[in-house]
Amino acid sequence: MALHPRAGQPAVATDLTNIAQLVSAYFVNEVDPRNRAQKVKFGTSGHRGCAFDSSFNEAHILAISQALVAYREEQGITGPLLLGRDTHALSEAAYMTALEVFIGNGIEVHIQTDDGYTPTPVVSHAILRYNRNRSDGLCDGVVITPSHNPPTDGGFKYNPPHGGPADTNATRTIEKYANALLSSQLMGVNAVTYAEARASDKLKQVDWRKDYIESLDDVIDMSAIAAANLRIGVDAMGGAGASYWALIAEHYKLNIDVHNADVDASFRFMTLDKDGKIRMDCSSPYAMASLVKLRNDYDIALGNDPDYDRHGIVTPTHGLMNPNHYLAVAIDYLCSHRTWSKELAIGKTLVSSAMIDRVVNNYQRPLREMPVGFKWFAPELFAGTTAFGGEESAGASFLDKEGQPWSTDKDGIILALLAAEICAKTGKNPSQYYDGLCEEYGTAYYRRIDVTSSAEMNAGFAGIRGYKLKLTELAGDEVTAIMTKAPANDAIIGGVKVTTANGWFAARPSGTEPVYKIYCESFVSEAHLDELAEQAQHLVTSWLQA
């Protein structure tokens, strides 16, 4: 896909969303339950949509919230529901709707004190803390967020009592119930007015922000960061954790400059992403252009998306790190600087760099290679059998210093602070650290290609069967495996992955856009990567047309 001519440039007035129109559309636009595009659909990170398209409107949230009430009853979840939201405009509207339904059904709901915004990892951390040493009356949580997506979007994520993203069985059940409610014109939805919800004794305010910040030393060596007196820059991206950074600096006596801490639902302070849209993706060099320009002012610079489940790492020597590079660095550092049991595994997605495989093998730890989606890591982090789970899209979490679960959802705050700890403890920034890994294990050349597609073409991935593909060679190397299931748990990956001794590629459809993604990596050269990528595109096209 072609790079937009203004990618990386500051947004101007014509790029901004009319927030008043967007919120009005949320409440006014009618939903057609017969229109597939307007049904409730849970992807890898919950239901997402846009009020203008009638795919994220009041009717959706009424239906999803009531469906979740029914699901909780089925599962015997009787404790409070922890409700958080990020700073997207539709998050505020949906938060109000969800609160009306949950209180209307007699559920005790906990929210952040002072009506503050709440990052996804903070909700996960709070669920784990509340449920610790409990066998009944367990809590669960909802975060209203479309993650890093544009200001027009809304999202609804459910986290069951293990604190991480709900699995497919849960989301399919909630989705089915919600669509049935939409089809029945919301008959069966119980809700009170917002004023009644706010006045209810079922609504409790809890200072999760204080609890989370004061616990950070359990998972990060905060004293080492303070002692190193690092100059730290943060792009808060006007997100749910924007207020956290100044408090973290104050509590731990850190030298942090915070940029874009003010909440503005239009996100007018952003630079445009690769396609010319405002998208708060802290792993994109175009969305992070403002912070990258300041890289020489800091020893380490950090960024987070609006719900703070992703991290962006900017170093003075290299600029914005490739997320795969930082995952490999984080894993290598943690394996050598934490006293975790040797039996604990390291988790990665199938489309993450094979550099991780080499690092994990060096420490003789089990590797858990999962399908895309952090929901696959959550149960193992919760059980304490996996020490680290990470995605190629700049999302990860890991156990605390004692080997206990910290958050079972992606945590952009601790991954950002880990980068500062690495600087403090090793004297090298994470990019320099990665250069050392390349010297030890070889240089990895990695690329992701977004190919314009259609719903019909994307559906064709479901028909690909590895055993039917007569492929013996790829980019001059013998094919060692063709996978349509994840090695760690035999789960369907929704696409295909082909490996050789010197490289691999994987292809899978997007769950939200008319594109499919091809991921490629070579340990030979950039030219070999070009050859691998070209062959991959031809192969995928032929398989989808077969």
Side-chain angles (χ1 to χ4, degrees):
M1 301 176 75
L3 185 67
H4 192 276
R6 291 181 52 229
Q9 297 301 309
V12 297
T14 53
D15 298 314
L16 304 182
T17 299
N18 185 316
I19 299 301
Q21 287 183 356
L22 178 67
V23 175
S24 296
Y26 171 84
F27 289 105
V28 172
N29 282 11
E30 294 187 2
V31 175
D32 181 359
R34 297 166 297 180
N35 184 334
R36 186 170 184 173
Q38 296 180 24
K39 288 178 176 287
V40 172
K41 178 64 178 175
F42 276 78
T44 55
S45 294
H47 172 74
R48 288 182 184 167
C50 174
F52 290 140
D53 300 335
S54 296
S55 55
F56 192 92
N57 303 80
E58 184 181 34
H60 293 104
I61 306 308
L62 287 168
I64 295 170
S65 299
Q66 188 65 49
L68 180 52
V69 170
Y71 178 79
R72 294 178 97 243
E73 187 174 346
E74 280 186 1
Q75 299 298 312
I77 300 171
T78 58
L81 186 144
L82 281 51
L83 181 62
R85 74 198 187 286
D86 78 356
T87 54
H88 279 78
L90 291 179
S91 296
E92 192 74 37
Y95 174 83
M96 297 170 68
T97 303
L99 193 59
E100 291 169 350
V101 175
F102 296 143
I103 295 295
N105 282 272
I107 294 174
E108 182 178 307
V109 179
H110 292 188
I111 61 172
Q112 169 62 36
T113 302
D114 69 21
D115 246 353
Y117 302 103
T118 309
T120 288
V122 174
V123 171
S124 177
H125 182 259
I127 291 171
L128 295 176
R129 283 175 70 99
Y130 184 91
N131 289 338
R132 190 172 295 162
N133 300 321
R134 292 178 187 266
S135 57
D136 56 17
L138 302 180
C139 77
D140 54 2
V142 165
V143 187
I144 311 291
T145 173
S147 191
H148 62 290
N149 286 310
T152 53
D153 289 9
F156 186 110
K157 292 169 54 174
Y158 173 57
N159 289 37
H162 64 46
D167 64 22
T168 305
N169 290 332
T171 56
R172 280 179 181 165
T173 300
I174 297 165
E175 179 184 298
K176 179 181 176 182
Y177 289 171
N179 283 321
L181 286 165
L182 285 178
S183 296
S184 67
Q185 298 183 320
L186 301 175
M187 287 183 62
V189 173
N190 299 317
V192 296
T193 67
Y194 187 64
E196 289 173 322
R198 296 296 311 198
S200 172
D201 59 6
K202 290 286 186 181
L203 185 63
K204 313 291 184 184
Q205 298 198 35
V206 183
D207 196 351
W208 299 320
R209 179 171 48 213
K210 180 176 184 290
D211 293 343
Y212 180 91
I213 290 172
E214 292 183 355
S215 300
L216 279 169
D217 203 41
D218 293 341
V219 69
I220 298 292
D221 193 341
M222 301 300 290
S223 59
I225 299 172
N229 195 30
L230 299 172
R231 295 168 301 148
I232 302 171
V234 170
D235 187 344
M237 285 195 180
S243 65
Y244 283 56
W245 283 110
L247 295 172
I248 289 170
E250 180 183 2
H251 187 80
Y252 293 101
K253 305 297 186 288
L254 305 183
N255 181 11
I256 300 178
D257 289 338
V258 186
H259 304 272
N260 299 320
D262 293 334
V263 172
D264 179 346
S266 71
F267 295 91
R268 67 181 65 241
F269 48 76
M270 289 297 300
T271 50
L272 302 183
D273 204 4
K274 59 186 176 183
D275 57 359
K277 293 183 179 181
I278 294 177
R279 183 181 289 105
M280 294 67 70
D281 182 357
C282 52
S283 67
S284 165
Y286 308 105
M288 288 281 279
S290 297
L291 188 62
V292 172
K293 284 182 181 178
L294 300 174
R295 69 189 201 189
N296 291 322
D297 294 347
Y298 301 107
D299 297 306
I300 191 73
L302 317 166
N304 298 108
D305 65 334
D307 76 317
Y308 275 55
D309 70 344
R310 295 188 180 207
H311 56 270
I313 310 300
V314 176
T315 67
T317 54
H318 294 62
L320 181 67
M321 288 190 75
N322 181 303
N324 275 286
H325 296 180
Y326 184 58
L327 285 182
V329 167
I331 290 165
D332 188 88
Y333 176 83
L334 288 168
C335 285
S336 59
H337 287 77
R338 296 294 188 267
T339 57
W340 293 332
S341 166
K342 279 285 188 181
E343 286 75 38
L344 298 185
I346 302 296
K348 58 166 271 192
T349 56
L350 282 107
V351 294
S352 299
S353 174
M355 178 68 83
I356 294 170
D357 304 49
R358 299 182 180 200
V359 168
V360 174
N361 182 64
N362 179 60
Y363 287 99
Q364 299 181 325
R365 287 186 177 275
L367 179 68
R368 301 285 289 168
E369 192 169 2
M370 299 286 197
V372 172
F374 206 78
K375 63 187 177 186
W376 301 105
F377 300 119
E380 297 187 2
L381 286 167
F382 178 72
T385 57
T386 288
F388 182 102
E391 293 188 311
E392 79 298 334
S393 55
S397 190
F398 51 90
L399 303 183
D400 69 15
K401 296 174 187 175
E402 302 300 320
Q404 298 299 311
W406 166 263
S407 68
T408 47
D409 211 327
K410 295 176 287 188
D411 193 328
I413 298 175
I414 65 168
L415 266 296
L417 287 169
L418 182 67
E421 180 186 328
I422 290 169
C423 291
K425 296 291 285 285
T426 70
K428 297 182 287 188
N429 69 51
S431 296
Q432 295 167 325
Y433 195 119
Y434 183 76
D435 288 343
L437 294 182
C438 290
E439 291 177 8
E440 186 172 358
Y441 300 113
T443 300
Y445 302 89
Y446 184 96
R447 184 180 304 162
R448 192 187 95 179
I449 304 163
D450 290 354
V451 182
T452 301
S453 182
S454 65
E456 291 73 23
M457 286 185 68
N458 282 357
F461 278 94
I464 295 177
R465 298 290 182 268
Y467 67 89
K468 291 184 178 180
L469 304 180
K470 307 302 179 184
L471 182 64
T472 58
E473 184 181 277
L474 177 67
D477 293 317
E478 180 183 354
V479 170
T480 54
I482 302 175
M483 292 178 264
T484 54
K485 295 182 179 180
N489 59 2
D490 214 30
I492 298 292
I493 65 176
V496 60
K497 181 176 181 178
V498 179
T499 64
T500 71
N502 292 311
W504 59 272
F505 83 83
R508 56 182 293 272
S510 168
T512 57
E513 301 173 280
V515 300
Y516 62 82
K517 303 171 185 181
I518 296 179
Y519 308 80
C520 311
E521 186 171 45
S522 166
F523 275 86
V524 178
S525 65
E526 194 73 45
H528 184 253
L529 178 66
D530 291 339
E531 182 183 1
L532 199 159
E534 182 179 0
Q535 289 189 23
Q537 290 182 74
H538 286 307
L539 286 166
V540 173
T541 299
S542 67
W543 293 339
L544 292 177
Q545 293 175 347

